[in-house]
Amino acid sequence: MAYAGFIDIQVNGWQGVDFSEPGLTVDAVRRVTLDLASCGTLAYCPTLVTSSEAIYRENLQVLAAAMREPDLAGHLLGIHLEGPFISPEPGAVGAHQPQYVREPS
């Protein structure tokens, strides 16, 4: 059976869950995923904005664990990192926290 729905390649969060905030859990990812699916977005890439190393370490592990959950695996297409290798210039850095922007090596 084929399903019709949307794919969103950049979802920073939904309904009070922010993928870049501390304390992210697999259950929170599940709530976002099931709610998005009920609204027609069947698959997406959870997105983390430019963040501290601690947030990357914690939240990337949570998102990877969510991707291994049988009920979520087909909905989570990958993880989108929006930064940290972006321009630190005012205006170009946008809503990202400039203290976490890095020069590429």
Side-chain angles (χ1 to χ4, degrees):
M1 172 180 233
Y3 295 98
F6 299 102
I7 295 173
D8 194 334
I9 61 171
Q10 180 179 346
V11 175
N12 295 85
W14 178 258
Q15 299 294 324
V17 175
D18 183 336
F19 296 133
S20 298
E21 289 293 319
L24 183 66
T25 65
V26 171
D27 284 335
V29 176
R30 179 174 282 107
R31 284 194 313 273
V32 168
T33 303
L34 297 178
D35 198 34
L36 286 173
S38 75
C39 296
T41 299
L42 300 182
Y44 70 100
C45 292
T47 300
L48 276 76
V49 297
T50 302
S51 299
S52 69
E53 285 186 40
I55 289 294
Y56 285 141
R57 229 182 334 272
E58 179 182 336
N59 292 14
L60 289 172
Q61 288 183 17
V62 170
L63 292 169
M67 293 174 78
R68 291 189 295 271
E69 292 287 314
D71 61 327
L72 302 178
H75 298 282
L76 301 172
L77 302 176
I79 301 169
H80 175 216
L81 294 179
E82 188 181 2
F85 306 109
I86 60 174
S87 174
E89 296 299 316
V93 76
H96 296 258
Q97 298 180 51
Q99 70 268 30
Y100 299 126
V101 172
R102 295 185 182 177
E103 289 284 327
S105 61

